[in-house]
């Protein structure tokens, strides 16, 4: 199938200032992300940014880039502007790759994009949790699926709670059959991507600070690709950045 990868990127970051421009083996992070995404079957890979320095870095390294407004509340709003400017068809598939994922798996991008069809306007990915400390960590977002592999709910809490296995379980290897960890990779039809910013926010979205709950609140299905291995982590902290620098 054909799809477009759009990578939202902005400089504002509380933990890692200027994160998209952080050097990874001689290239800015945002360039590494775009190069990695280009290894997928994407027809095109474009960075969407509101900052001239990110734009200049992409141009310098031959990465396609589009400038956007600076007032977008989320990355999905930012890429919606670019998708509209590109004149993509309503049924075109757009994949949102986060700008801090320089080790994103191209096959994971392909598999998530492939879940989009006439009845499924949005898709994402997940993998099994294997550590109890991840289960209890509110920064590790969990997702529960229905029998069709669609998301029933996303939460920062430990869902589903295994009554017999979890009580008294210490940190370490988790019991079998634990929840899935959500991976922050999204695919959409362009029609839905343009519609999403018009959806009223949901109270659950505000409580959990998870914008994908807005989609479920409005009874819109989200398909979930489950990969068995945990993908390489994104860059959120100085420690993450150092690990990525050693890799490159």
């Amino acid at each position: 199938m054909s799809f477009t990868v759009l990578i939202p990127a902005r400089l504002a970051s509380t933990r890692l200032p200027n994160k998209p421009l952080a050097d990874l083996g001689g290239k800015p992070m945002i360039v590494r992300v775009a190069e990695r995404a280009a290894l997928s079957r994407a027809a095109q890979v474009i960075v969407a940014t509101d900052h001239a320095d990110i734009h200049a870095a992409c141009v310098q390294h031959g990465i396609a880039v589009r400038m956007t407004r600076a007032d977008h509340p989320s990355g999905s709003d930012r890429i919606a502007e670019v998708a509209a400017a590109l004149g993509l068809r309503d049924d075109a598939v757009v994949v949102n790759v986060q700008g801090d994922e320089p080790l994103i798996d191209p096959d994971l991008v392909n598999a998530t994009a492939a879940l989009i069809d006439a009845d499924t306007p949005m898709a994402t990915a997940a993998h099994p949790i294997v550590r109890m400390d991840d289960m209890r960590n509110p920064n590790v977002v969990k997702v529960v699926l229905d029998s069709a592999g669609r998301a029933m709910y996303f939460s920062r809490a430990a869902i589903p709670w295994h009554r017999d296995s979890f009580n008294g379980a210490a940190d370490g290897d988790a019991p079998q059959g634990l929840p899935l960890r959500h991976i922050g990779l999204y695919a959409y039809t362009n029609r839905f991507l343009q519609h999403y910013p018009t959806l009223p926010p949901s109270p659950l979205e505000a409580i959990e600070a998870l914008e994908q709950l807005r989609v479920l609140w409005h009874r819109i299905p989200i398909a979930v690709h489950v990969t068995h291995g945990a993908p390489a982590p994104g860059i959120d902290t100085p420690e993450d950045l150092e690990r990525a620098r050693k890799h490159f």
Side-chain angles (χ1 to χ4, degrees):
M1 66 176 300
S2 176
F3 59 90
T4 294
V5 168
L6 297 180
I7 306 171
R10 60 191 186 96
L11 280 186
S13 174
T14 55
R15 287 178 290 186
L16 279 176
N18 300 327
K19 182 165 65 170
L21 300 179
D23 181 82
L24 292 178
K27 294 181 180 180
M29 183 188 305
I30 192 62
V31 171
R32 293 291 189 185
V33 175
E35 290 178 339
R36 189 74 176 168
L39 297 177
S40 73
R41 293 197 293 269
Q44 55 185 340
V45 176
I46 303 171
V47 172
T49 186
D50 63 354
H51 202 283
D53 290 349
I54 296 176
H55 185 278
C58 291
V59 170
Q60 179 183 354
H61 290 87
I63 301 299
V65 59
R66 291 285 187 114
M67 291 294 293
T68 70
R69 304 197 320 265
D71 59 349
H72 287 301
S74 71
S76 51
D77 293 277
R78 191 174 307 283
I79 68 169
E81 178 187 341
V82 172
L86 291 172
L88 298 179
R89 301 188 318 272
D90 282 351
D91 62 351
V93 176
V94 178
V95 178
N96 180 349
V97 171
Q98 303 300 311
D100 56 4
E101 297 277 355
L103 298 174
I104 187 74
D105 182 356
D107 288 335
L108 185 61
V109 176
N110 295 334
T112 304
L115 292 179
I116 300 296
D117 58 31
D119 299 318
T120 311
M122 182 172 173
T124 189
H127 71 86
I129 295 174
V130 297
R131 300 272 308 170
M132 279 301 298
D133 49 352
D134 284 338
M135 259 292 302
R136 296 190 174 102
N137 185 349
N139 294 318
V140 174
V141 177
K142 295 84 179 175
V143 59
V144 173
L145 309 185
D146 65 14
S147 61
R150 293 178 172 180
M152 296 174 65
Y153 192 69
F154 297 86
S155 181
R156 298 182 182 278
I159 58 169
W161 181 262
H162 287 223
R163 184 194 64 179
D164 298 329
S165 299
F166 288 1
N167 286 334
D171 288 344
D173 292 342
Q176 294 297 311
L178 287 184
L180 298 170
R181 178 177 188 164
H182 177 231
I183 301 169
L185 173 71
Y186 297 99
Y188 329 78
T189 62
N190 184 43
R191 178 186 294 108
F192 177 69
L193 181 60
Q194 300 304 323
H195 177 59
Y196 172 80
T198 71
L199 293 174
S202 79
L204 295 174
E205 171 189 4
I207 292 168
E208 296 257 21
L210 297 173
E211 70 174 71
Q212 62 268 37
L213 290 175
R214 183 186 312 183
V215 180
L216 298 184
W217 176 262
H218 291 283
R219 303 176 66 85
I220 298 166
I222 302 176
V224 181
H225 170 72
V226 178
T227 180
H228 293 293
I235 310 301
D236 292 318
T237 67
E239 292 76 21
D240 295 335
L241 182 58
E242 286 308 308
R243 282 193 294 270
R245 282 174 169 159
K246 289 178 181 178
H247 170 87
F248 284 102

